[in-house]
Amino acid sequence: HCRDTAALAEAEWAPSVGHFPHADMGDRTIDTHRVSPALAPAVVDWHVVDTPVAREASDHLPVITTLDLTKL
């Protein structure tokens, strides 16, 4: 079963949508990454890029998962 990279990185919750004026469902994290169990040990970080430029560019904020392949 694929694993959620935010959970693997023990990241704090951060919304990836909800910042646009037309957002009628509130802040939510719906943009995620998944990895296979074999790749799970390499996940070292997960975060949402929440900058003014990112907020203007889209109603979805970018999500970044960092891997350390030396952990495999």
Side-chain angles (χ1 to χ4, degrees):
H1 296 59
C2 288
R3 306 278 310 275
D4 179 354
T5 58
L8 290 167
E10 298 180 357
E12 286 192 34
W13 180 83
S16 63
V17 296
H19 61 280
F20 257 46
H22 68 269
D24 58 356
M25 296 178 70
D27 292 343
R28 303 179 318 281
T29 302
I30 63 171
D31 302 288
T32 63
H33 296 145
R34 302 279 192 263
V35 293
S36 67
L39 194 55
V43 175
V44 295
D45 189 44
W46 176 95
H47 69 275
V48 174
V49 178
D50 189 352
T51 65
V53 171
R55 284 177 170 255
E56 282 187 40
S58 176
D59 59 344
H60 290 256
L61 297 173
V63 175
I64 297 176
T65 295
T66 303
L67 303 174
D68 180 352
L69 299 180
T70 66
K71 293 187 178 232
L72 297 179

